[in-house]
Amino acid sequence: MRLPLYIAGRYLFAKKSHNVINIISAISAAGMAIGTAALILVLSVFNGFNGIIEKNLSSVEADLRVVPAEGKTFVPEGPAFDWLYDAPQAGSLSSVISDKVFISYEGKQSVVNARGVDEVYEEEMGLNLRNGDIRLAAVSSDLAWSLGINPKFLSPIQIWYPDRTGYISPSNPAASLHTAEIHAAKVMDIPHTSDSGADGTMIIPIGVMRSLTGYYKEVSAVEIRFSEGLSPRAARAFRRELGKQLGDAFIVQDRYMQDESLYKMMRYEKAAIFLILIFIVIIISLNIFGSLSMLVIEKQEDIATLRAMGADERLIRRVFVLEGWMISLLGMAVGVVLGVGLALLQQHFGLIKMPGNFVVDAYPVVLRLGDVLLSAAGVALIGLIVALAPAFSRSK
């Protein structure tokens, strides 16, 4: 392996008789460097935007959520829940009743996902849904936009929910609906991607939700927020043990499972961006094919000399494969340094600012080792495949 590598290195850095080969090789290496740097930078920016989304989700979603495997509600009683209430890993436990309701606000109607929460949830989220005897609501920003809900207005939100018995009076259908009035107190960024068919989300006191639905003991979910300082390893162990305690009748959802469709979408988008950029790198790498093909033609006398000295076809092919691959690796190495350097500068100093009014001033960047290794491996593999074709076709 040393002899082919030595000859390939000499060919790579030696001056060719046809200067166009040097130019094409330089362009190929520069293109691979730019492609590698672009891969690292774009994936890092994508990580930054994903981090913002996950941070907004984490401010609303619990660390774990216990939901029934079948049905909509359950009564949180029994040995498993007694164990959960005494578990030191659970910093706080809150009960939630969720269902879709019909609301009306100043003549506008919508179907929304209503979440009735207890005082523990309010304390954890910093909400105040009570003002004396008046019950208040926090509404999602998209719902507030679509219905024109403003916490400064005095108009109440009217809520309707059908009787769970399913009985509808032919003479008075409205009597089969449970109603309530509540005032908007706050507008929040509340995700509701998992609730298809709802136009937004509204958080209300659990007492109001119980009177609407008739669930006075049942809950839709028990939400768990970890104790402060709990390590990720301990959190995973606690989730597994909780699943064993509850059995097959319940599902313990982590943050990913609570918004599985959103997290999958973000992963698919990142994979799509990676594949698009890899395709661009493939196009750039075709320059290597051209320069290597021309080099094989130029070095026919050297090939004949090597054959006369006893070199077999395998050694000769390896020389040109290694040179083509070295062009890719050289560009890849420069691209990794350039991409990592620019990503770190943006991550720590925010050199490129975000246009308009956004939650952050500069483009968010999160550099991850896995993305760097994946980009380097992808570019190196493409360079190897492109180098194989002319070496095998023209060295004979």
Side-chain angles (χ1 to χ4, degrees):
M1 187 67 182
R2 291 183 179 180
L3 179 60
L5 183 61
Y6 174 77
I7 298 174
R10 290 294 300 270
Y11 282 171
L12 177 63
F13 296 105
K15 186 176 181 180
K16 283 77 172 177
S17 58
H18 299 284
N19 193 47
V20 67
I21 301 178
N22 289 325
I23 296 175
I24 295 176
S25 298
I27 293 174
S28 302
M32 299 298 275
I34 295 174
T36 305
L39 273 169
I40 296 173
L41 285 172
V42 173
L43 293 180
S44 298
V45 172
F46 198 87
N47 293 335
F49 282 112
N50 282 354
I52 294 175
I53 295 174
E54 292 175 2
K55 183 178 179 181
N56 289 336
L57 288 177
S58 64
S59 65
V60 177
E61 303 293 352
D63 296 309
L64 295 177
R65 178 186 291 171
V66 178
V67 297
E70 296 181 358
K72 296 171 60 176
T73 60
F74 64 96
V75 179
E77 296 178 351
F81 287 97
D82 292 338
W83 176 89
L84 174 60
Y85 296 144
D86 295 333
Q89 297 92 333
S92 66
L93 300 172
S94 57
S95 299
V96 177
I97 301 178
S98 299
D99 210 340
K100 293 180 177 63
V101 298
F102 181 82
I103 68 170
S104 175
Y105 181 79
E106 293 189 339
K108 298 179 181 179
Q109 295 82 32
S110 180
V111 175
V112 304
N113 182 56
R115 301 179 63 182
V117 300
D118 58 12
E119 295 182 0
V120 176
Y121 185 100
E122 293 182 38
E123 183 178 354
E124 289 290 333
M125 297 300 300
L127 296 175
N128 182 14
L129 303 181
R130 293 168 177 81
N131 185 9
D133 294 334
I134 300 176
R135 298 296 181 258
L136 306 175
V139 299
S140 61
S141 55
D142 52 353
L143 178 62
W145 174 263
S146 62
L147 297 188
I149 298 175
N150 192 323
K152 297 180 180 180
F153 295 168
L154 299 179
S155 302
I157 301 172
Q158 296 177 322
I159 309 174
W160 286 276
Y161 187 85
D163 191 333
R164 289 195 299 115
T165 62
Y167 173 75
I168 299 178
S169 174
S171 59
N172 187 14
S176 62
L177 296 174
H178 297 282
T179 63
E181 286 189 354
I182 199 165
H183 289 80
K186 187 176 183 180
V187 176
M188 300 174 58
D189 289 326
I190 306 173
H192 63 280
T193 55
S194 300
D195 302 314
S196 58
D199 297 326
T201 302
M202 180 172 59
I203 300 177
I204 62 178
I206 196 170
V208 177
M209 198 65 181
R210 290 193 184 281
S211 64
L212 286 169
T213 61
Y215 294 126
Y216 294 103
K217 292 184 178 180
E218 300 89 342
V219 298
S220 301
V222 172
E223 297 190 348
I224 306 163
R225 287 172 172 80
F226 293 141
S227 301
E228 187 176 355
L230 188 67
S231 66
R233 183 177 181 180
R236 289 191 295 269
F238 172 71
R239 178 176 177 269
R240 289 193 297 268
E241 182 60 28
L242 178 59
K244 293 179 181 178
Q245 293 285 340
L246 293 172
D248 297 334
F250 296 92
I251 300 174
V252 182
Q253 299 176 332
D254 56 13
R255 291 187 185 275
Y256 176 82
M257 295 176 66
Q258 293 175 43
D259 289 284
E260 188 173 3
S261 59
L262 178 61
Y263 283 103
K264 281 185 177 180
M265 181 185 68
M266 292 192 301
R267 289 185 178 183
Y268 293 155
E269 287 179 348
K270 185 175 180 180
I273 291 174
F274 177 80
L275 292 176
I276 292 172
L277 293 176
I278 281 292
F279 181 74
I280 295 175
V281 172
I282 292 174
I283 297 176
I284 295 173
S285 67
L286 295 180
N287 290 320
I288 299 176
F289 181 91
S291 64
L292 199 57
S293 298
M294 296 176 64
L295 183 65
V296 171
I297 297 174
E298 183 185 275
K299 299 299 181 181
Q300 288 299 315
E301 293 183 0
D302 292 357
I303 293 173
T305 302
L306 289 172
R307 285 173 179 163
M309 296 175 63
D312 56 10
E313 294 297 329
R314 183 179 179 184
L315 185 145
I316 296 173
R317 288 171 180 169
R318 192 179 298 170
V319 169
F320 294 99
V321 169
L322 286 174
E323 181 175 0
W325 199 23
M326 287 169 66
I327 295 174
S328 299
L329 294 179
L330 179 62
M332 181 266 291
V334 175
V336 167
V337 175
L338 182 64
V340 170
L342 292 176
L344 290 175
L345 287 174
Q346 179 67 18
Q347 182 173 335
H348 292 286
F349 300 105
L351 301 179
I352 303 178
K353 304 299 181 181
M354 284 286 296
N357 296 323
F358 199 64
V359 293
V360 291
D361 296 330
Y363 278 95
V365 171
V366 176
L367 184 65
R368 293 178 181 172
L369 178 61
D371 293 335
V372 176
L373 296 178
L374 181 62
S375 301
V379 173
L381 180 60
I382 291 171
L384 177 60
I385 294 174
V386 171
L388 287 171
F392 275 79
S393 61
R394 303 299 297 273
S395 63
K396 294 183 180 180

